[in-house]
Amino acid sequence: MKPFTVHILGSGSAIPTLHRNPSSQHLRVDTCCILIDCAEGTQLQLKRFNLSPMKIDHVLISHLHGDHYFGLIGLISSMHLAGRINPLFVYGPPALYDILTLQLALANTQLRYRLEFIPLQDKPFTSVFADDLLEIAAFKVKHRIPCWGFLVRQEADQRNIKKSFLSQYRLSHEELKAVKEGADYVNAQGEVIPNEQITCYTHPAGSYAYCTDTLYTPELSALLQNVTVLYHEATFMQMHEKEAAETYHSTGPQAARMAKNAGAKRLIIGHFSSRYKDLTPLLDEARLVFDQTEMATDGMCFQI
Ligand SMILES: [Zn+2]
């Protein structure tokens, strides 16, 4: 299976601290690189964790609060100065196009590469990009201003034929090709052996969902069924649940409930309020609901 790697570049919320930058994440699915959110300081985080900005193909911006996109114009400008030629696809709230256009116009900058802007739609779930490696979908979450989450799904590899089957039957080149493409096999006695019995994926295709910033929205779990890894904001502890609801954010246990109801294999929580000096109690109360919960840290890297 092709690599599917996630780097957390910023795991804090609105105010940067020395240990936690605001939101940004880097995904690599085979040769395709995706940046999700681009807070102030993201360029330095990319450098720190040895990730090339020039290789980023898609930038997904969840909403227009500064801790999710104030680093974007800097990144776009640096790509220009570094001689980028490849197009860059930016997905975000429609008004982001006006902001970027004004910033570039006032700086009298004509980008030497094509910046393709794709406005996110006011719909519960939309596929925004798909090729033979992956699919990217955007879904609406509930925040004080329009806000989207993202789901990145890796396409499955071709199925492989089981060794036990190959040693039992001698398949011609054409038969091998047909079975790999999904055909059933008919043996010399005319018996049909279903494809699912003779092939398997060496590694099942993975998926990654990013939910920030959002009020706890139970109905989202239906859209995220069986996601491999869920990243969900957990700005607050349970004792601040009222404040979480008032500011359209979530608590650790709410993030964990989402992971549980979606049938996720693993939950990563982040976007922590800088008021908590020790986050262990926040993690502990999330784990009481869903034990496969981990705390995001800047520089954390994992495979899907
Ligand atoms: Zn935020």
Side-chain angles (χ1 to χ4, degrees):
M1 197 68 187
K2 315 284 186 338
F4 188 167
T5 312
V6 179
H7 276 90
I8 306 287
L9 305 176
S11 56
S13 57
I15 299 170
T17 69
L18 284 174
H19 306 290
R20 291 187 189 273
N21 222 64
S23 296
S24 185
Q25 308 193 348
H26 181 279
L27 273 62
R28 186 176 156 222
V29 184
D30 192 10
T31 54
C32 180
C33 293
I34 302 164
L35 190 72
I36 304 185
D37 279 341
C38 186
E40 166 194 358
T42 297
Q43 290 194 71
L44 288 176
Q45 296 293 77
L46 287 166
K47 268 203 171 41
R48 191 165 289 140
F49 304 122
N50 216 8
L51 298 161
S52 167
M54 298 300 257
K55 289 186 180 157
I56 294 170
D57 305 291
H58 304 274
V59 179
L60 318 174
I61 300 294
S62 63
H63 65 300
L64 295 181
H65 281 154
D67 58 323
H68 295 261
Y69 87 103
F70 277 179
L72 183 58
I73 191 65
L75 180 70
I76 286 172
S77 303
S78 296
M79 287 171 169
H80 168 74
L81 294 173
R84 183 181 177 113
I85 301 164
N86 293 337
L88 179 71
F89 298 87
V90 177
Y91 309 74
L96 181 58
Y97 179 77
D98 302 332
I99 296 169
L100 295 176
T101 306
L102 181 65
Q103 285 175 318
L104 291 169
L106 294 179
N108 195 23
T109 300
Q110 278 99 37
L111 294 178
R112 58 184 99 217
Y113 60 91
R114 185 162 62 91
L115 192 153
E116 182 105 14
F117 183 76
I118 299 99
L120 296 173
Q121 296 182 32
D122 188 16
K123 289 184 181 167
F125 191 91
T126 332
S127 177
V128 294
F129 174 83
D131 67 4
D132 50 6
L133 290 177
L134 72 150
E135 184 187 7
I136 305 171
F139 52 90
K140 282 302 285 282
V141 296
K142 287 186 186 155
H143 200 41
R144 297 196 300 281
I145 57 171
C147 187
W148 286 260
F150 301 104
L151 178 64
V152 179
R153 269 194 292 242
Q154 185 177 32
E155 291 301 329
D157 266 354
Q158 209 178 30
R159 289 178 76 93
N160 285 320
I161 304 174
K162 291 178 184 170
K163 283 202 176 103
S164 55
F165 176 77
L166 285 175
S167 55
Q168 200 179 342
Y169 298 97
R170 283 192 167 275
L171 272 71
S172 68
H173 183 70
E174 286 72 30
E175 285 169 330
L176 274 174
K177 190 167 172 284
V179 169
K180 274 193 171 181
E181 285 170 358
D184 297 335
Y185 179 69
V186 184
N187 68 14
Q189 289 75 42
E191 269 178 80
V192 178
I193 309 174
N195 191 276
E196 307 81 74
Q197 274 180 29
I198 51 184
T199 64
C200 59
Y201 291 119
T202 36
H203 187 95
S207 55
Y208 181 69
Y210 176 84
C211 291
T212 189
D213 303 4
T214 185
L215 182 73
Y216 175 57
T217 310
E219 57 268 30
L220 273 186
S221 64
L223 292 177
L224 305 176
Q225 275 306 299
N226 300 319
V227 67
T228 317
V229 180
L230 169 68
Y231 178 92
H232 198 289
E233 70 127 299
T235 310
F236 293 102
M237 288 189 64
Q238 192 159 16
M239 63 178 170
H240 295 128
E241 194 172 293
K242 193 165 163 275
E243 192 174 341
E246 283 163 4
T247 56
Y248 287 79
H249 282 293
S250 304
T251 65
Q254 288 173 335
R257 217 168 300 141
M258 181 69 74
K260 195 176 175 182
N261 294 340
K265 286 204 172 63
R266 196 172 162 193
L267 168 69
I268 314 289
I269 49 173
H271 198 271
F272 307 113
S273 165
S274 55
R275 76 182 66 185
Y276 305 119
K277 299 297 165 244
D278 177 14
L279 287 165
T280 319
L282 196 156
L283 177 64
D284 288 348
E285 59 184 23
R287 279 186 174 160
L288 284 178
V289 180
F290 186 75
D291 64 358
Q292 295 303 310
T293 304
E294 288 154 75
M295 191 198 300
T297 51
D298 290 17
M300 179 188 204
C301 172
F302 52 90
Q303 302 287 328
I304 302 289

